[in-house]
């Protein structure tokens, strides 16, 4: 459970506001009780036919005050509760961001869930409800409980104990029993729902396979069966809730009867005037009702567990990043911009992803890396950026060990990857992210370089058009060009291209590559590519296999020397030499 | 009020049943108040507790019956809601399978899954809550009002006047809150999305060296979001404030008037107390109506969306027999046109060709030329708006006919891998295949090595909920399915473009082996495939512009020739 990190600190931090919110919640219920109390008193007193209306003037004022006061306080209570929760939400967001930020480059490879980041953001929103729907009401009920028992204790100790036990049924027994019952049920419901989810995903995503196989009625039947199972579970849970609520109501009725009995006893003894029987009876009716929703609310607590667990997990992963070993001090003054020496990496020493890689790249050199997926290409890139720490060996950029560069690495390396993210803001701001100080003229200059200026000018609001509202208007190639413009502003000596053309059609691809190589002419480029379109433009090609460089040379050299390369090239460019 | 509600199957008997129970329930509410007030007032008069035990027992009995009726009502609505939403879901699923992948693709597969999974639950929830609330609202206040009318007209009038005022304020404030929220919507939306946007773009921010500074930005925006939300809430909560305020004020007023009546002797304690107990019950249904408003709105919209989808047009699948494809078979397509209803995409125009027997046919063209549409037409995923299809000289109504589709293996760019074992994934089309046959197919598809590397071999669970496979491995599973299914026609849509070139090279060999002795259509950008084709169909703007083998097309100095040269690129002649 992640309560330790994601719930308690905020409770501590905002204890005063929390006390205020709980106090207001308490006051709301108390005023409701007071309204019924004074009303009951008022009419009992009136029933005694006092000579003048002035005799009941105080209760009349009381009834109005409590009535209006309850509405006002309840309004304030809701506002203060929400305000507090939004404050906590804001802090949790910052915290989550700080947790994820250091591992930003690795999150995608660590979690298979497509949109883990979106899910985490939702988890935080979900935790809001924990405060509003579970935490506040539970605490308010406890306070009310304490006050009621204390007040009863002033009159009679045995009655206070009896009341403590009876209300305890509503306040402790029902919620705890229900928590235990629903915990197991919720677990099974979640499991069934997951299975259902996969079945649905199979049905919808695999729809053409079902149609072609001719047994699509099978999956519908399967889903119905599973749905039925799910429904049975839910029906049981629902019916449990119904009967529990009913039992609670009966307890409530009994408490009211007990209160009347007790108040009557006091009047018989002469401690109280009979006017108070109605007052106590009505107040009890109103106060007890505030305890009723508690059981349902508490049994929902299990639904927060998933969110907490996920948040906890992402926090644990952070520690993996942090274990930095002391980097070697290197005495490097060669002319190479990037030097990779005996670089070895793996998550365990018998399963190495990279094994003794050596590489030197001089300023302005253009390098292409090819190889199958899972052969260490992305690991190498992560090591070059200092996001991973090698088992042994080092990466030296500009004469310094990258693991020491930490965040200043972005002054050396910029990255264009497969799916550059475009933010929910204007086109201009998206480009300007490359260099926040850039003037409008500079933004336009780079937009012209990537050949987008004309297209952007034609948008309804030009450079001010919101990126995401344009929806489909930006094609894959155009999105890459925006990201490229960003990189031009960032103006780093090294640019990493991480398969930027996957998913583009060949003509778009060729054009994009041509723009990339023209605009980045003076930069050092490390380009990971899945096929060979455009490789003629680089100075050197590396083939990575099983964590080693198995082939190295310029395009012409490799064509001459390596049969394997010739074969791949023929596949990629079947008509070269034939035209 | 939702009119659709009354059209659901079996809603009328349910409503009648609920109405009867609610009327009974109103009786118990009144009885509850009556006997509690009776007991208290006789105690007030100085009666012994023993004398009122019976009255209190009746009070408890009334309370008990009332709750019992509530449980009954909840069970009825629960089952009705479950049945109705279940019915919707079944219709929706059947519809989806009839509309096919094309429709699902347009709606977004993820969207569709969410709609079926979440939407159905929300809809059910809505039905459940709304029916109860509606019936309570319609009956309980009126019953209580009528009863009070027989006891004390003045109190009844106060309550009667209070209710419409309450509703008017509720509506006015609701509208005010909505217009305020609408005015703020844009900035509100932007602010609330800012965090998700930041998290999703974190990798990019990191590359740009902005990720650390962005923390202050997040804090800033979150605070602005809080302020904006609080502003809206201040107005939004006013409606429940008004509800509270008027309820409390009415109860207080009733209490004061009852007090005056008692002093003047126009009423006695028992009815006065009873009215006071009933007053909150009178307002309860309307207060409940306001709660969970958004949840019900969501559910209502989900229901509407499902009904729209169910109502959308689709043809029944033709069960007509299509002769089994043999080396002597011919497929002739005449003057086929495909139009998209949104008119944004080109579709297909005057498609005409004939193929026969065993043949490999490449489909090529620039992006947007209609390659995918062509493939989807062949697979029977979309119906042409005009044209004729002939197989072996017999006219066939549609390629979505079961008889055609069961002869076809379709392999898309990303074949779907089911959440199941590798074994079951391979024999998806032949669920009765033996392990021996599956192993053979796996071997043919070059999957054996992959299977050996998996922890449980053939029994390893793959797919979204299991072990992840690479793009190349996914294609191999699809190929194994095809080898096992052994269908005479294969249709492929860009099967290798996203793979790294070595994987592509290996897969190509396997695929060529699979193509032997079958009719193959392959749409792709990758030119190397064209050298292995018997015939190439070149598409431009939805029309077939050229047909012929690679050699034939290259010689003519044709569109194909230009296209190929453009694609090979002028930048690349190093």
């Amino acid at each position: 459970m992640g309560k330790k990190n994601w719930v308690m600190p905020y409770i501590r931090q905002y204890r005063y506001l929390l006390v205020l919110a709980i106090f207001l919640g308490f006051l709301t219920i108390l005023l409701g009780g007071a309204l019924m109390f004074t009303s009951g008193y008022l009419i009992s007193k009136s029933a005694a036919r006092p000579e003048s209306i002035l005799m009941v003037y105080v209760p009349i004022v009381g009834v109005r005050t409590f009535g209006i006061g309850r509405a006002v306080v309840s309004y304030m209570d809701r506002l203060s509760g929400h305000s507090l929760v939004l404050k906590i939400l804001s802090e949790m967001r910052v915290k989550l961001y700080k947790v994820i930020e250091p591992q930003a480059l690795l999150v995608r490879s660590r979690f298979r869930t497509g949109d883990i980041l979106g899910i985490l953001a939702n988890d935080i929103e979900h935790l809001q409800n924990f405060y509003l729907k579970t935490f506040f009401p539970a605490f308010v009920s406890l306070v009310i409980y304490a006050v009621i028992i204390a007040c009863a204790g002033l009159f009679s100790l045995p009655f206070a104990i009896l009341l403590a036990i009876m209300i305890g049924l509503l306040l402790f027994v029902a919620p705890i029993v229900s928590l235990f019952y629903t915990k197991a049920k919720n677990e099974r419901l979640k499991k069934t729902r997951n299975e259902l989810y996969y079945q649905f995903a199979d049905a919808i995503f695999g729809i053409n396979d079902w149609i072609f196989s001719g047994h699509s009625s099978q999956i519908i039947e399967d889903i119905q069966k599973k749905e039925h199972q799910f429904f049975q579970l839910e029906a049981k849970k629902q019916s449990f809730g119904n009967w529990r609520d009913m039992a609670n109501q009966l307890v409530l009725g009994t408490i009211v009867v007990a209160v009347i009995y007790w108040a009557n006893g006091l009047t018989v003894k002469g401690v109280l005037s009979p006017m108070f029987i109605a007052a106590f009876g009505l107040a009890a009716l109103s106060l007890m009702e505030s305890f009723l929703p508690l059981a349902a609310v508490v049994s929902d607590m299990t639904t927060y567990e998933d969110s907490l667990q996920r948040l906890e997990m992402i926090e644990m992963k952070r520690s993996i990043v942090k274990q930095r070993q002391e980097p070697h001090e290197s005495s490097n003054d060669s002319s190479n911009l990037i030097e990779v020496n005996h670089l070895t990496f793996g998550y365990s020493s018998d399963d190495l992803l990279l094994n003794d890689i050596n590489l030197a790249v001089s300023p302005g050199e253009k390098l292409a890396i090819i190889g199958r997926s899972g052969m260490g290409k992305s690991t190498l890139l992560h090591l070059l950026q200092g996001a991973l720490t090698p088992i042994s060996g080092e990466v030296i950029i500009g004469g310094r060990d990258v693991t020491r560069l930490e965040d200043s690495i972005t002054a050396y390396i910029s990255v264009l990857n497969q799916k550059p993210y475009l933010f929910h803001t204007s086109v201009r701001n998206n480009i300007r992210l490359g260099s926040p100080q850039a003037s409008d003229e500079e933004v336009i200059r780079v937009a012209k370089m990537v050949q987008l200026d004309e297209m952007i000018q034609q948008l309804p609001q030009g450079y001010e058009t919101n990126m995401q509202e344009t929806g489909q208007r930006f094609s894959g190639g155009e999105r890459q060009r925006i990201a490229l413009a960003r990189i031009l502003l960032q103006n780093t000596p090294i640019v990493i291209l991480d398969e930027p053309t996957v998913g583009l059609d060949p003509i778009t691809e060729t054009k994009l590559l041509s723009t990339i190589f023209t605009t980045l002419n003076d930069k050092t480029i490390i380009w990971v590519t899945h096929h060979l379109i455009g490789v003629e433009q680089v100075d050197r090609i590396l083939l990575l296999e099983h964590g080693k460089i198995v082939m190295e040379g310029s395009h012409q050299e490799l064509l001459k020397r390596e049969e394997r390369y010739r074969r791949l090239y023929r596949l990629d460019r079947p008509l070269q030499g034939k035209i | 009020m939702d009119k659709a509600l009354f059209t659901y199957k079996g809603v009328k008997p349910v409503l009648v049943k609920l109405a009867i129970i609610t009327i009974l329930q109103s009786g118990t509410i009144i009885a509850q108040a009556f006997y509690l007030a009776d007991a208290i007032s006789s105690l007030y008069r100085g009666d012994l507790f023993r004398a009122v035990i019976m009255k209190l027992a009746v009070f408890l009995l009334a309370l008990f019956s009332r709750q019992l009726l509530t449980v009954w009502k909840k069970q009825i609505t629960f089952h009705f809601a479950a049945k109705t939403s279940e019915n919707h879901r079944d219709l929706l699923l059947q519809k989806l399978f009839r509309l096919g992948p094309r429709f699902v693709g347009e709606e977004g597969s993820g969207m569709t899954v969410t709609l079926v999974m979440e939407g159905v639950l929300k809809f059910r929830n809505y039905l459940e809550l709304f029916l109860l609330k509606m019936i309570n609202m319609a009956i309980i206040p009126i019953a209580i009002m009528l009863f009070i009318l027989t006891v004390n007209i003045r109190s009844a009038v106060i309550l009667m006047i209070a209710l419409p005022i309450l509703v008017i304020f509720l509506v006015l404030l609701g509208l005010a809150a909505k217009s305020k929220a609408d005015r703020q919507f844009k900035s509100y939306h932007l602010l609330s999305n800012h965090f998700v946007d930041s998290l999703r773009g974190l990798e990019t921010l990191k590359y740009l060296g902005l990720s650390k500074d962005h923390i202050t930005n997040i804090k800033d925006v979150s605070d602005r979001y809080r302020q904006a939300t609080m502003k809206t809430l201040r107005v939004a909560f006013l409606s429940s404030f008004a509800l509270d305020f008027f309820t409390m004020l009415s109860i207080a007023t009733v209490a004061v008037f009852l007090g005056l009546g008692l002093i003047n002797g126009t009423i006695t304690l028992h009815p006065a107390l009873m009215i006071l107990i009933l007053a909150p019950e009178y307002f309860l249904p309307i207060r409940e109506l306001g709660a969970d408003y958004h949840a019900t709105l969501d559910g209502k919209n989900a229901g509407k969306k499902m009904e729209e989808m169910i109502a959308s047009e689709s043809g029944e699948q033709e069960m007509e027999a299509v002769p089994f494809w043999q080396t002597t078979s011919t497929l002739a397509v005449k003057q086929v046109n495909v139009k998209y209803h949104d008119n944004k995409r080109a579709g297909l125009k005057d498609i005409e060709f004939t193929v026969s027997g065993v043949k490999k046919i490449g489909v090529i063209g620039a992006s947007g030329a209609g390659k995918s549409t062509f493939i989807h037409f062949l697979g029977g995923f979309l119906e042409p708006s005009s044209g004729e299809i002939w197989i072996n000289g017999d006219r066939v109504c549609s390629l979505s006919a079961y008889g055609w589709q069961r002869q076809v293996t379709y392999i898309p760019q990303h074949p779907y891998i089911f959440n199941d074992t590798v074994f079951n994934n391979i024999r998806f089309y032949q669920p009765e295949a033996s392990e021996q046959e599956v192993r053979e197919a796996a071997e043919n598809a070059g999957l054996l090595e992959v299977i050996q590397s998996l922890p449980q071999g053939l029994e390893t669970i793959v797919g979204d909920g299991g072990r992840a496979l690479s793009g190349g491995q996914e294609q191999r599973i699809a190929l194994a399915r095809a080898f096992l299914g052994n269908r005479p026609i294969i249709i492929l849509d860009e099967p290798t473009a996203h793979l790294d070139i070595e994987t592509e090279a290996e897969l190509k060999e396997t695929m060529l082996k699979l193509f032997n002795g079958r009719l193959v259509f392959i749409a792709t950008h990758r030119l190397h495939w064209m050298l292995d084709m018997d015939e190439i169909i070149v598409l431009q703007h939805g029309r077939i512009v050229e047909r012929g083998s690679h050699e034939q097309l290259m010689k003519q100095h044709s569109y194909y020739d230009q296209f190929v040269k453009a694609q090979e690129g002028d930048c690349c002649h190093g």
Side-chain angles (χ1 to χ4, degrees), chain B residues 372-437:
Chain B
S372 290
T373 313
F374 187 80
I375 287 295
H376 284 148
F377 155 67
L378 282 176
F381 299 152
L382 42 84
E383 292 299 324
S385 47
S386 63
E388 292 172 9
I389 302 154
W390 298 75
I391 293 177
N392 293 351
D394 291 326
R395 175 109 190 250
V396 175
C397 290
S398 156
L399 291 180
S400 70
Y402 177 63
W404 170 259
Q405 286 189 334
R406 79 186 169 82
Q407 298 189 48
V408 174
T409 301
Y410 171 67
I411 302 184
Q413 182 167 19
H414 297 281
Y416 184 72
I417 303 300
F418 293 89
N419 290 289
D420 208 332
T421 57
V422 177
F423 184 58
N424 285 335
N425 259 297
I426 292 176
R427 57 176 198 166
F428 183 81
Y429 287 81
Q430 313 299 115
E432 64 293 329
S434 70
E435 184 170 342
Q436 186 51 38
E437 289 169 306

Side-chain angles (χ1 to χ4, degrees), chain B residues 24-187:
Chain B
L24 283 177
Q25 204 178 22
S26 307
T28 60
I29 293 174
I30 290 164
Q32 194 188 325
F34 183 91
Y35 285 99
L36 184 63
D38 197 9
I40 291 176
S41 57
S42 31
L43 286 175
Y44 174 78
R45 282 196 307 270
D47 290 349
L48 290 176
F49 190 77
R50 225 179 307 130
V52 302
I53 283 182
M54 271 315 287
K55 290 172 185 167
L56 285 173
V58 177
F59 157 70
L60 279 181
L61 186 72
L63 183 85
F64 180 73
S65 324
R66 176 190 181 178
Q67 298 309 324
L68 207 60
L69 292 173
T70 304
V71 173
W72 193 11
K73 266 161 71 175
K74 279 187 179 167
Q75 303 281 28
I76 291 174
T77 48
F78 180 74
H79 284 276
F80 171 72
K83 209 189 237 163
T84 307
S85 59
E86 206 173 299
N87 187 34
H88 268 62
R89 187 200 58 228
D90 289 350
L91 286 177
L92 187 62
L93 273 178
Q94 276 158 14
K95 192 65 162 196
L96 283 176
F97 276 104
R98 225 171 294 139
L99 291 167
R102 191 90 207 175
F103 178 80
V104 173
E106 269 167 38
E107 289 285 325
S109 313
M111 242 285 297
T112 313
V113 174
T114 319
L115 182 68
V116 182
M117 285 293 286
E118 309 289 334
V120 170
L121 271 189
K122 279 184 187 157
F123 178 60
R124 195 180 84 188
N125 201 1
Y126 154 72
L127 283 179
E128 212 179 314
L129 289 175
F130 192 73
L131 270 182
L132 271 184
K133 284 179 178 176
M134 197 182 65
I135 216 91
N136 284 348
M137 184 65 203
I139 292 176
I140 294 176
I142 293 172
I144 291 177
M145 165 71 57
L146 287 175
F147 177 72
I148 293 178
L149 209 55
T150 64
V151 181
N152 181 285
I153 295 178
R154 201 197 273 170
S155 307
V157 170
I158 297 172
L159 292 179
M160 214 188 293
I161 294 171
L163 199 64
I165 293 181
L166 210 128
V167 172
I168 289 169
F169 264 85
L170 209 61
V171 170
L172 283 181
L173 285 168
L175 288 178
K178 193 174 157 346
S179 79
K180 189 161 173 73
D182 284 349
R183 256 179 286 133
Q184 289 194 335
F185 181 76
K186 213 172 160 190
S187 67

Side-chain angles (χ1 to χ4, degrees), chain A residues 85-367:
Chain A
V85 162
L86 286 170
K87 274 190 185 137
I88 294 178
L89 178 72
S90 158
E91 302 247 345
M92 283 203 284
R93 283 176 164 171
V94 171
K95 174 168 173 171
L96 178 63
Y97 185 86
K98 280 184 180 160
V99 167
I100 298 179
E101 193 269 335
Q103 41 180 335
L105 303 186
L106 306 171
V107 166
R108 213 191 304 219
S109 55
R110 275 186 189 164
F111 297 96
R112 284 195 41 219
T113 323
D115 187 23
I116 180 78
L117 296 173
I119 291 173
L120 286 170
N122 272 339
D123 283 337
I124 295 261
E125 307 274 324
H126 190 194
L127 281 184
Q128 273 189 90
N129 288 337
F130 167 76
Y131 289 97
L132 285 175
K133 293 198 175 146
T134 310
F135 190 78
F136 292 158
F139 254 79
V140 168
S141 296
L142 276 179
V143 175
I144 294 269
Y145 179 64
V147 170
I148 289 176
I149 304 302
C151 287
L154 287 180
F155 292 99
S156 136
L157 195 61
F159 183 69
I161 294 171
L162 179 72
L163 212 52
I165 294 171
M166 288 177 81
I167 302 180
L169 286 177
L170 295 180
L171 190 60
F172 303 112
V173 178
I176 289 172
V177 168
S178 147
L179 184 64
F180 271 102
Y181 178 85
T182 45
K183 200 176 166 134
K185 275 273 170 320
N186 279 345
E187 207 59 38
R188 278 183 58 198
L189 273 171
K190 200 173 84 188
K191 204 175 141 253
T192 318
R193 201 169 154 68
N194 261 340
E195 287 164 9
L196 247 180
Y197 174 82
Y198 283 127
Q199 234 164 24
F200 268 124
D202 277 356
I204 305 289
F205 288 96
I207 191 163
N208 52 50
D209 290 302
W210 289 108
I211 290 175
F212 279 107
S213 70
H215 39 252
S216 42
S217 55
Q218 181 66 42
I219 182 86
I220 295 184
E221 235 169 73
D222 284 352
I223 286 177
Q224 279 167 354
K225 237 183 264 163
K226 186 106 294 169
E227 275 281 358
H228 190 70
Q229 238 179 27
F230 184 70
F231 174 71
Q232 296 279 317
L233 280 172
E234 271 206 314
K236 265 191 205 153
K237 192 179 148 189
Q238 162 91 5
S239 135
F240 171 81
N242 285 345
W243 293 111
R244 177 201 59 210
D245 289 349
M246 170 150 181
N248 275 344
Q249 288 278 358
L250 279 185
V251 172
L252 179 140
T254 319
I255 292 175
V256 172
V257 170
V259 167
I260 291 170
Y261 173 77
W262 167 74
N264 184 53
L266 287 181
T267 47
V268 170
K269 273 188 225 154
V271 182
L272 278 182
S273 128
M275 323 234 163
F276 283 101
I277 302 176
F280 276 110
L282 292 189
L285 201 58
S286 148
L287 288 178
M288 291 310 130
E289 273 175 0
S290 73
F291 294 123
L292 291 180
L294 207 64
V297 157
V298 169
S299 54
D300 277 346
M301 247 166 75
T302 47
T303 59
Y304 301 109
E305 243 159 67
D306 281 348
S307 297
L308 282 173
Q309 265 166 14
R310 255 193 303 270
L311 290 168
E312 190 79 333
M313 177 187 68
I314 190 101
E315 225 180 347
M316 261 149 53
K317 297 270 181 182
R318 174 171 60 168
S319 53
I320 300 173
V321 183
K322 279 291 151 201
Q323 41 160 319
R324 287 242 154 104
Q325 64 192 58
E326 200 46 44
H328 316 279
E329 201 46 57
S330 58
S331 51
N332 190 294
D333 48 17
S334 77
S335 62
N336 289 322
L337 183 57
I338 306 173
E339 259 191 54
V340 175
N341 298 323
H342 306 290
L343 190 67
T344 302
F345 180 84
Y347 289 102
S348 69
S349 52
D350 37 76
D351 184 21
L352 292 179
L353 293 170
L354 288 178
N355 191 357
D356 197 25
I357 300 276
N358 291 295
L359 185 67
V361 186
S362 54
E365 198 180 350
K366 315 262 181 295
L367 199 72

Side-chain angles (χ1 to χ4, degrees), chain A residues 6 91-104 124 318, chain B residues 195 197-203 205-206 210-218:
Chain A
W6 291 94
E91 302 247 345
M92 283 203 284
R93 283 176 164 171
V94 171
K95 174 168 173 171
L96 178 63
Y97 185 86
K98 280 184 180 160
V99 167
I100 298 179
E101 193 269 335
Q103 41 180 335
I124 295 261
R318 174 171 60 168
Chain B
F195 184 61
D197 200 35
S198 305
L199 278 190
R200 290 197 177 130
L202 190 53
E203 198 175 345
L205 286 174
K206 187 102 179 166
L210 297 172
S211 56
K212 283 261 156 68
D213 299 339
H214 198 65
I215 292 173
T216 47
N217 205 337
I218 285 183

